[in-house]
Amino acid sequence: MKCDKGYWYDTSIYTNVVTSEWNLVCDRLIIGTSVTAVYFFGILLSSVVGGNIADIIGRCPTMLLSQIGMIAFGVGCSFAPNLVGFAALRFCIALFLQAGYIACFVYVMEITGERWRTFIGINIQAMFAVGYMTLSGFAYVWRDWRDLQLAIAFVSLPFLVFWFFLPESPRWLFTVGKVEKAKRISEVIASRNGNVITEQVWSDAEKAGEAQQEDLLESKPSPFILLKRPRMRLVTINMMFNWFVCSLVYYGLSLNAGALAGDDFLNNTLNGLVEFVAYAIVILTMDRLGRKPLLSACLLLGGVGCLVSTVITHYAGDNRDLINTSTAFALIGKSAISGAFSIVYNYTAELYPTVVRSTAVGVGSMAARVGSIITPFTIQLQYIIPWLTGTIFGVLALVAGLSSLAFPETLGTKMMTSLDEAELFYAGKSADFENKNDSELASCSNSYSNEAFETDESSNQTKL
């Protein structure tokens, strides 16, 4: 309702926040929600464009530009003169943020061998949780939002030094025809791993690169290529739905942490900490149970956690034990959804070939941002119908958990390189690309085994 007598804010915890500076309360509450949605809309656009940029100019340049952009606009945001300027600068931060994150994740997946792909890929997500928890410490020290924003703007600064030591992804270099540079980087990686790359391997790699360039002409690369082929279209639609639900529920539980009983700083830290539990479980089980069953189980558990927490909260009243139990189930749901979110990143990178891998992760992330844009408005529903928000989160998570069972399993398979390989894989005709029969090979534009820098124990030579 409208408040026409002025406002009084409690400054015992925070000296100044965006809400109090621009009075985003009462009848202006929807404005604050919209500002959050604008930020997530920026991440959506970044997801669409960022994946394409990483496939066009490379993984490392995209990461560098994103970090520079986040520093520049982050500093500018701390001096925002009004709410419109604040929203616009946050939007710009989002544009750079997600593009860099996609490029980083795909880069790590492409330079990591199959043995370590799960461990490294999930640990990229774990660093997200580190930032999540670290924010509690930053906010505890800097209680004015402008000071806090200025402090976190410089977190990206060390990357400007790290960038000089990062080689470009050899997979991407082969794909765009930069063979000599790809060879030089591959030789360095192989030598540091104690391996030798033969001339035959280089010959096979160049032929494969030519095939991938044909795919590039077809995809250019464009998000629409993911919908062009029938089996890839079904996988993409299902993948986008899973990303959407993971994001909606994850950010719903994260942004609503302030509604939980207890201290803000502690609750935010616990929300980050439970993610580590999920990541540890995923790392220990994903290469044993497989991607599909674990993704489904995490989504189903997350849905159950949300629904149970909602039911207990509805009947808890002032019962402190029930309130704490509800919080515990909400944290269980958050942990499970965090696990699902980490799996879907790895899973998407493995479900698509090199030529469109960044684009696919970008499209998935775009679908996720649709969920995060809706999240603030979904949270507001609890002010009208208290149990509706949790019910929406829970039901959608259960539906996504069931739909994820339709994905093909990627455990133990090589990372695909061409669009034809992907269609064969989705059809279940080629679980192992090294063992295709002649008819399958004839229909593929790229038939080499592409597990980069994997040591052949019998010959101590490197296969590409």
Side-chain angles (χ1 to χ4, degrees):
M1 63 182 64
K2 188 174 183 179
C3 177
D4 56 2
K5 301 297 183 182
Y7 306 97
W8 180 86
Y9 295 102
D10 179 7
T11 58
S12 61
I13 300 177
Y14 311 106
T15 58
N16 183 36
V17 294
V18 172
T19 300
S20 61
E21 183 162 331
W22 289 302
N23 295 319
L24 304 180
V25 293
C26 301
D27 59 315
R28 291 172 56 86
L29 184 64
I30 189 65
I31 299 177
T33 300
S34 300
V35 170
T36 303
V38 167
Y39 171 78
F40 283 122
F41 182 67
I43 294 186
L44 184 152
L45 292 181
S46 181
S47 300
V48 177
V49 178
N52 286 134
I53 291 175
D55 279 335
I56 294 172
I57 70 173
R59 290 30 170 160
C60 289
T62 303
M63 284 189 278
L64 178 63
L65 290 174
S66 71
Q67 303 302 319
I68 293 174
M70 282 194 293
I71 294 172
F73 286 105
V75 172
C77 187
S78 67
F79 296 99
N82 50 50
L83 185 59
V84 174
F86 172 79
L89 289 166
R90 287 267 292 169
F91 175 82
C92 293
I93 293 173
L95 286 178
F96 285 93
L97 184 150
Q98 192 64 16
Y101 190 77
I102 292 171
C104 171
F105 183 81
V106 172
Y107 174 83
V108 169
M109 293 295 286
E110 287 184 343
I111 66 170
T112 305
E114 181 184 351
R115 178 183 175 187
W116 294 99
R117 195 178 300 141
T118 295
F119 179 80
I120 299 299
I122 300 302
N123 271 288
I124 289 290
Q125 313 301 316
M127 293 302 101
F128 189 94
V130 170
Y132 195 125
M133 291 189 295
T134 302
L135 185 61
S136 296
F138 275 80
Y140 186 84
V141 175
W142 289 283
R143 303 299 181 95
D144 186 301
W145 78 265
R146 292 183 182 275
D147 295 336
L148 173 62
Q149 175 60 49
L150 184 62
I152 64 176
F154 291 105
V155 171
S156 299
L157 201 58
F159 183 84
L160 303 184
V161 177
F162 299 155
W163 183 81
F164 291 98
F165 301 95
L166 287 179
E168 184 54 84
S169 165
R171 289 181 186 271
W172 179 81
L173 290 171
F174 275 118
T175 298
V176 296
K178 297 182 179 181
V179 176
E180 292 304 317
K181 186 174 182 180
K183 282 185 175 181
R184 290 197 300 271
I185 294 174
S186 299
E187 290 281 10
V188 172
I189 296 175
S191 64
R192 291 181 180 177
N193 286 327
N195 298 326
V196 178
I197 302 178
T198 66
E199 287 301 320
Q200 182 60 45
V201 170
W202 291 133
S203 176
D204 292 342
E206 290 182 24
K207 292 177 182 177
E210 292 173 1
Q212 291 173 11
Q213 289 175 52
E214 293 178 5
D215 280 346
L216 275 176
L217 292 176
E218 179 181 350
S219 62
K220 296 189 179 176
S222 165
F224 296 105
I225 191 63
L226 304 179
L227 302 174
K228 185 175 181 180
R229 302 188 178 208
R231 295 187 182 94
M232 185 174 286
R233 184 186 309 125
L234 294 176
V235 170
T236 299
I237 292 172
N238 193 4
M239 177 267 294
M240 290 175 69
F241 176 67
N242 272 261
W243 277 79
F244 167 81
V245 173
C246 283
S247 179
L248 178 70
V249 180
Y250 177 88
Y251 285 107
L253 295 175
S254 299
L255 294 176
N256 210 30
L260 299 177
D263 179 75
D264 284 355
F265 304 108
L266 177 61
N267 284 338
N268 194 74
T269 302
L270 289 175
N271 265 276
L273 187 61
V274 295
E275 292 190 24
F276 274 103
V277 177
Y279 298 145
I281 293 173
V282 169
I283 288 173
L284 293 173
T285 59
M286 196 159 83
D287 284 340
R288 292 179 173 85
L289 301 179
R291 282 69 168 139
K292 178 166 64 175
L294 195 57
L295 174 62
S296 179
C298 285
L299 286 166
L300 293 174
L301 178 59
V304 171
C306 288
L307 290 175
V308 172
S309 176
T310 301
V311 171
I312 294 176
T313 299
H314 186 69
Y315 294 102
D318 295 328
N319 189 316
R320 179 54 55 182
D321 290 336
L322 288 179
I323 291 175
N324 290 336
T325 302
S326 174
T327 301
F329 273 100
L331 291 174
I332 290 173
K334 173 68 186 303
S335 179
I337 290 298
S338 299
F341 219 157
S342 67
I343 295 167
V344 81
Y345 263 98
N346 273 48
Y347 208 177
T348 301
E350 294 176 348
L351 278 172
Y352 291 88
T354 301
V355 70
V356 292
R357 186 168 294 121
S358 283
T359 299
V361 175
V363 168
S365 185
M366 176 198 70
R369 298 325 135 193
V370 174
S372 55
I373 289 172
I374 296 173
T375 297
F377 300 101
T378 307
I379 291 175
Q380 274 210 320
L381 293 175
Q382 67 188 356
Y383 298 116
I384 304 171
I385 305 175
W387 52 265
L388 185 57
T389 297
T391 301
I392 292 173
F393 292 159
V395 171
L396 284 176
L398 293 177
V399 174
L402 295 176
S403 71
S404 64
L405 294 173
F407 285 125
E409 179 57 66
T410 59
L411 177 62
T413 63
K414 305 298 181 184
M415 292 189 80
M416 295 170 281
T417 58
S418 74
L419 297 173
D420 289 322
E421 275 186 349
E423 278 297 289
L424 281 173
F425 176 67
Y426 301 149
K429 295 181 180 178
S430 181
D432 185 345
F433 299 128
E434 292 187 66
N435 297 319
K436 291 187 179 74
N437 59 40
D438 292 338
S439 63
E440 288 172 337
L441 287 172
S443 67
C444 282
S445 62
N446 182 1
S447 61
Y448 75 99
S449 174
N450 77 316
E451 180 56 37
F453 320 122
E454 176 185 338
T455 302
D456 186 331
E457 294 181 359
S458 62
S459 63
N460 197 35
Q461 291 181 341
T462 297
K463 300 186 296 180
L464 222 68

